[in-house]
Amino acid sequence: NLAAFPTQMLLEVGGASLGTPQRVTFEYGIRFTGAAMFPAVGATPEFRDVQMSVNVAGHGCTNDITLFRQPNPYMLDGPTSWLSADLRVFALRPGDSQSGRTLSTVSPDPLAYLSDFITACDGAPVGPMHLFDQIATDQHDSRLYLGEELGGDPVFNFAIARVRYRSAATTATDVRVFFRSFTTAVTSMAYATQTYPRNASETLPVLGASATDVLTIPYFGVSRATVDTTGDTVNTKSIPPDTVAPNDEVHRYFGVWLDFNQTTLRYTDPGDGVFKSIQDLIRGRHQCLVAEIRFGPDSIPIGDTPANNDNLAQRNLAIVESDNPGPTDSHLVVHTFDLRTTWPQKTPRTPRFEERGHLFAATHDVRGHGHGAELDELMIQWNGLPEDSEVTVYLPSLDADAILLAAARRSGPQRLERVDAHTVRCLVGDVSYIPLPAPAPAHVAGLITIRLPETVKVGERYNVVVRQVGGLPRYVVGTFELFIAVSTSERIRPEEERSLSVLKHIAGTIKPSSRWHAVFQRYIAVLNDKVRGVGGSPADISPSTTGEPTGGPGTKHDEDAAAWRCRLCWSLVLIMALIILLLLILLIVASLS
């Protein structure tokens, strides 16, 4: 009833033989070949716990999974859990279209557009040309915008989720979908009340925050001004059974306006008590978006993630472009990320599976017993990134020497190097591991910087996958993907300048006491280098909320614009003088003749 199959083997030292001491990671997929392992129809209880073990040459891991047979709404991941096939995003300007539906140029109302789009999706027959399936899944083709304008026009971001249901007779009532984004790319997607909070009646998502940070931001299909009173009617519905073909899925659609690029004041920042816009609370160019099915009979256990629970779907939004040909700084790829260490917490998890799904299982070098083996780790899978790329990871709240000491406690080659007190360099292979020596569970802000070699070529694409592996037990608590597209300066410069403009604005709202302050200072410095590398002038780009990098009063850009206007005026005066002189000459010639 269950088949396991290896998908790949990953080495820390790329191209090395298995005789080289190092950690070897095996990735397996699993496939259910029948339903005999699941509880019988009508059985009580409607779930069954099963222990799963993986063993390779005497080394392995064991975990429990819970199998459910009861009909519940669900979403599917597809090939990768962080790019769910059932959660998609797109952006529109007035006059733009998605799936044949155009955003009005006369009165571009994003919520009205969203409601009409969802209604059309629910009413369309299932098929390969369904409106939902026409939404691009490629990260590059479905990018969103942090600035509220694009080319001088307002730009609106949207997210749509498809929820599936199989039942012969029972209607799933009061099915809700909650949409949230983390403030940047994150490695810890584990379900927790701090990051996935609901209101008292559990009918709406609310802001996720710690004592010092906003962690997750909720989004809605109706106005934020009225949602507490009316509820999110776009994202609350019943799903009927399919009485004609009980084995077929019934699909219903849910969606939100992702208004993180808007400047309306919305939430109080717990770090400084200041009332801010959602844009001011964002901590990176792209975020991790999660859709959560809230269905009463089917609760989500604490610790589950989008990778192992079909009530959660993740859409990773991190896309960064590198220039080629171009100077070295144009090859910079940089992104913020957030993680939460779990060590020394040792609460076990239980992943859930129904009659579908897969499992990622990573073994670890059991010879590394002791303190170092219990730590959380970042597991970075390079997926063909050139080995001469220079990669650094900046973690200002962790000590680089402690990271290297923890790495040295296990056998094998040392693939990390110290750069400064809080920065380590990774040597690229198939996979790299960075221990996270935090004395207690803590939120850690970070910055990953990749400098590609000059040998990369236009059109090349790389997918760097960053996972966080929990201390004990060993399991993946979250994943994000950094998608790198090699392009040209002419193509990427406008977007880099727009991003820098908005991020400079956000940086100005972050207090020095924030854990993000040091990260953003370095982030802006690297982005300045990149803009300079692609032919721009970062000094001329002033902070803005629109993403249109036009300088304000007193900036060098403003001074240059004033000088240009002055030169234009004098040029017009000179042209007029020449025209008048020419007319006088013609009159004199005419009178003489």
Side-chain angles (χ1 to χ4, degrees):
N1 296 124
L2 185 65
F5 51 93
T7 57
Q8 59 182 332
M9 180 178 69
L10 304 174
L11 305 178
E12 284 187 281
V13 184
S17 70
L18 293 180
T20 302
Q22 61 182 298
R23 182 183 305 194
V24 180
T25 302
F26 299 91
E27 184 175 331
Y28 280 82
I30 62 172
R31 181 185 298 112
F32 290 98
T33 58
M37 292 179 63
F38 291 82
V41 176
T44 303
E46 294 183 338
F47 61 87
R48 178 186 178 194
D49 292 329
V50 176
Q51 188 176 79
M52 177 179 292
S53 298
V54 178
N55 188 284
V56 178
H59 305 302
C61 57
T62 301
N63 217 327
D64 295 330
I65 63 173
T66 302
L67 306 177
F68 287 80
R69 187 145 190 173
Q70 65 191 53
N72 295 315
Y74 60 93
M75 295 176 286
L76 295 182
D77 291 335
T80 52
S81 63
W82 55 91
L83 293 174
S84 170
D86 284 340
L87 179 59
R88 303 188 185 183
V89 297
F90 59 90
L92 296 177
R93 290 181 292 179
D96 289 345
S97 298
Q98 173 59 59
S99 304
R101 310 188 72 82
T102 304
L103 178 63
S104 171
T105 56
V106 179
S107 55
D109 184 337
L111 291 175
Y113 177 89
L114 174 72
S115 178
D116 289 344
F117 192 93
I118 295 298
T119 300
C121 284
D122 280 342
V126 175
M129 293 307 294
H130 190 277
L131 275 66
F132 179 84
D133 291 304
Q134 295 178 44
I135 303 174
T137 57
D138 184 273
Q139 294 183 80
H140 192 270
D141 296 332
S142 58
R143 61 173 53 198
L144 305 182
Y145 295 92
L146 185 54
E148 60 181 343
E149 291 183 4
L150 180 62
D153 295 322
V155 59
F156 305 100
N157 303 308
F158 299 93
I160 310 293
R162 172 170 53 198
V163 174
R164 304 163 185 260
Y165 184 62
R166 290 180 187 266
S167 178
T170 304
T171 296
T173 59
D174 192 28
V175 179
R176 302 171 186 263
V177 175
F178 299 156
F179 292 80
R180 301 178 178 87
S181 74
F182 289 75
T183 58
T184 186
V186 296
T187 60
S188 180
M189 307 293 295
Y191 196 77
T193 55
Q194 194 177 52
T195 45
Y196 295 83
R198 304 172 179 178
N199 63 359
S201 60
E202 298 195 349
T203 57
L204 292 171
V206 297
L207 192 73
S210 67
T212 58
D213 285 288
V214 170
L215 303 173
T216 58
I217 299 168
Y219 300 92
F220 307 98
V222 300
S223 170
R224 288 181 182 271
T226 60
V227 68
D228 289 333
T229 303
T230 63
D232 192 347
T233 51
V234 170
N235 293 307
T236 306
K237 59 188 66 176
S238 296
I239 307 180
D242 190 333
T243 56
V244 177
N247 289 325
D248 287 349
E249 293 178 328
V250 175
H251 296 169
R252 288 296 181 267
Y253 297 86
F254 303 76
V256 292
W257 173 28
L258 296 171
D259 55 344
F260 55 70
N261 63 346
Q262 301 298 298
T263 57
T264 305
L265 301 182
R266 293 295 185 192
Y267 296 109
T268 299
D269 187 338
D272 54 24
V274 177
F275 202 46
K276 296 180 178 179
S277 69
I278 296 177
Q279 186 189 69
D280 290 342
L281 299 172
I282 297 300
R283 295 296 177 257
R285 293 174 65 174
H286 306 281
Q287 299 81 48
C288 289
L289 175 71
V290 177
E292 171 198 351
I293 298 175
R294 185 269 193 192
F295 181 59
D298 186 20
S299 61
I300 302 174
I302 297 297
D304 274 16
T305 73
N308 61 43
N309 191 302
D310 56 17
N311 281 0
L312 299 171
Q314 176 184 347
R315 169 61 50 167
N316 176 68
L317 306 175
I319 309 165
V320 184
E321 290 183 302
S322 171
D323 174 39
N324 180 269
T328 303
D329 284 342
S330 68
H331 297 174
L332 285 168
V333 174
V334 60
H335 205 283
T336 58
F337 64 93
D338 195 11
L339 61 89
R340 185 179 188 276
T341 57
T342 63
W343 185 88
Q345 181 178 330
K346 300 182 180 180
T347 303
R349 62 176 288 283
T350 302
R352 302 183 321 114
F353 287 89
E354 299 186 19
E355 295 177 36
R356 52 197 172 267
H358 65 275
L359 173 67
F360 176 90
T363 66
H364 65 288
D365 186 347
V366 295
R367 292 173 294 177
H369 290 303
H371 180 76
E374 298 171 345
L375 296 176
D376 291 77
E377 290 182 303
L378 288 184
M379 172 185 170
I380 307 177
Q381 192 171 333
W382 300 110
N383 291 319
L385 189 79
E387 292 191 9
D388 52 347
S389 300
E390 182 178 333
V391 180
T392 60
V393 177
Y394 175 50
L395 301 165
S397 62
L398 298 184
D399 182 82
D401 291 329
I403 292 174
L404 296 181
L405 179 61
R409 283 198 173 102
R410 61 180 180 84
S411 60
Q414 298 308 306
R415 305 289 290 176
L416 302 177
E417 299 174 350
R418 186 184 191 276
V419 177
D420 60 38
H422 304 288
T423 308
V424 295
R425 179 180 293 108
C426 297
L427 302 182
V428 176
D430 289 344
V431 63
S432 295
Y433 297 90
I434 303 177
L436 303 172
H443 291 282
V444 177
L447 185 75
I448 182 170
T449 303
I450 301 172
R451 188 185 296 274
L452 296 174
E454 296 182 5
T455 53
V456 294
K457 299 178 181 179
V458 172
E460 291 180 347
R461 295 186 173 191
Y462 302 99
N463 300 73
V464 176
V465 178
V466 182
R467 294 182 173 94
Q468 182 179 341
V469 181
L472 286 176
R474 307 291 294 176
Y475 69 96
V476 176
V477 297
T479 306
F480 73 86
E481 180 182 57
L482 192 62
F483 176 79
I484 303 170
V486 182
S487 186
T488 64
S489 293
E490 291 74 17
R491 288 193 59 186
I492 69 177
R493 177 180 166 183
E495 180 61 26
E496 293 296 330
E497 292 181 335
R498 283 193 293 267
S499 295
L500 180 58
S501 178
V502 177
L503 290 168
K504 280 185 174 181
H505 163 74
I506 294 173
T509 70
I510 301 176
K511 300 294 184 182
S513 58
S514 169
R515 67 189 177 97
W516 285 102
H517 186 265
V519 169
F520 251 71
Q521 295 303 303
R522 186 171 293 194
Y523 189 27
I524 296 298
V526 176
L527 289 175
N528 282 337
D529 291 340
K530 182 163 186 179
V531 167
R532 189 179 299 108
V534 296
S537 177
D540 294 347
I541 299 175
S542 62
S544 76
T545 60
T546 63
E548 297 302 319
T550 55
T555 65
K556 184 177 183 298
H557 187 284
D558 183 66
E559 294 170 359
D560 291 343
W564 179 84
R565 288 193 296 269
C566 183
R567 288 193 297 270
L568 178 62
C569 289
W570 280 110
S571 298
L572 291 174
V573 170
L574 180 60
I575 291 171
M576 291 298 296
L578 290 173
I579 292 174
I580 292 172
L581 179 60
L582 180 60
L583 289 174
L584 288 173
I585 293 173
L586 291 174
L587 287 173
I588 293 172
V589 172
S591 64
L592 291 176
S593 61

